[in-house]
Amino acid sequence: MLTGQCLCGDIKLEYDGPLGPIALCHCSQCRRAHGSAFSASAPLQKIHTRFTAGEELIREYESRPGKYRGFCPRCGSQLYSRVDAIPGILRLRVGVINEPLEKGPASHVYVGSKSDWYTITDDIPQFEKTERANDPH
């Protein structure tokens, strides 16, 4: 069981299922949304996700047609993204998880649009776009 929360603690969740591979996304939307060089997220099955506090507070922003980014309106914490094309999957922002994950990132995605001020120095696989055509990163 994994638990997580936003920065202010108004929104809390539990997840009891397999956590997919962690992707570091360098696309311009993720960089803007997180104010950083990349976002870190992992796919999880919505059916195994339960919001234990504040689910009604979550706001979503449609960053492109059919793609939504869920966040806390009080503290601004990014929680997840989802796409209409894959309704059963959320891409959880792994920074909200409370427990140690005991695994690191599996890939860098959208490195073709990464910032010019950040240099990738690890040996994690890099993809110009994403590993899968329908990956909602």
Side-chain angles (χ1 to χ4, degrees), residues 24-76:
L24 305 179
C25 182
H26 296 264
C27 80
S28 61
Q29 285 190 357
C30 282
R31 287 188 285 116
R32 285 187 182 102
H34 295 274
S36 187
F38 53 83
S39 70
S41 66
L44 51 78
Q45 298 169 353
K46 196 173 180 180
I47 194 167
H48 297 296
T49 306
R50 184 170 74 93
F51 287 92
T52 58
E55 181 174 16
E56 73 284 357
L57 301 173
I58 297 172
R59 297 296 175 262
E60 290 189 337
Y61 170 70
E62 189 172 10
S63 59
R64 69 171 194 248
K67 179 179 179 175
Y68 304 87
R69 294 169 179 272
F71 64 94
C72 173
R74 180 172 180 214
C75 66

Side-chain angles (χ1 to χ4, degrees), residues 3-26:
T3 63
Q5 66 182 55
C6 64
L7 180 61
C8 70
D10 282 357
I11 300 170
K12 295 181 179 176
L13 63 91
E14 292 179 345
Y15 180 66
D16 190 18
L19 186 66
I22 298 170
L24 305 179
C25 182
H26 296 264

Side-chain angles (χ1 to χ4, degrees), residues 2 18-27 30-31 33-34 37-44 67-70 78-83 89-97 101 103-110 124 130-132 135-137:
L2 294 174
L19 186 66
I22 298 170
L24 305 179
C25 182
H26 296 264
C27 80
C30 282
R31 287 188 285 116
H34 295 274
F38 53 83
S39 70
S41 66
L44 51 78
K67 179 179 179 175
Y68 304 87
R69 294 169 179 272
Q78 294 282 319
L79 302 167
Y80 62 83
S81 64
R82 65 177 182 84
V83 293
I89 300 293
L90 296 176
R91 284 209 64 95
L92 185 68
R93 304 316 185 215
V94 295
V96 305
I97 297 173
L101 294 181
K103 69 178 181 177
S107 63
H108 290 274
V109 297
Y110 289 92
I124 298 168
T130 186
E131 295 176 66
R132 294 173 288 162
D135 189 356
H137 74 282

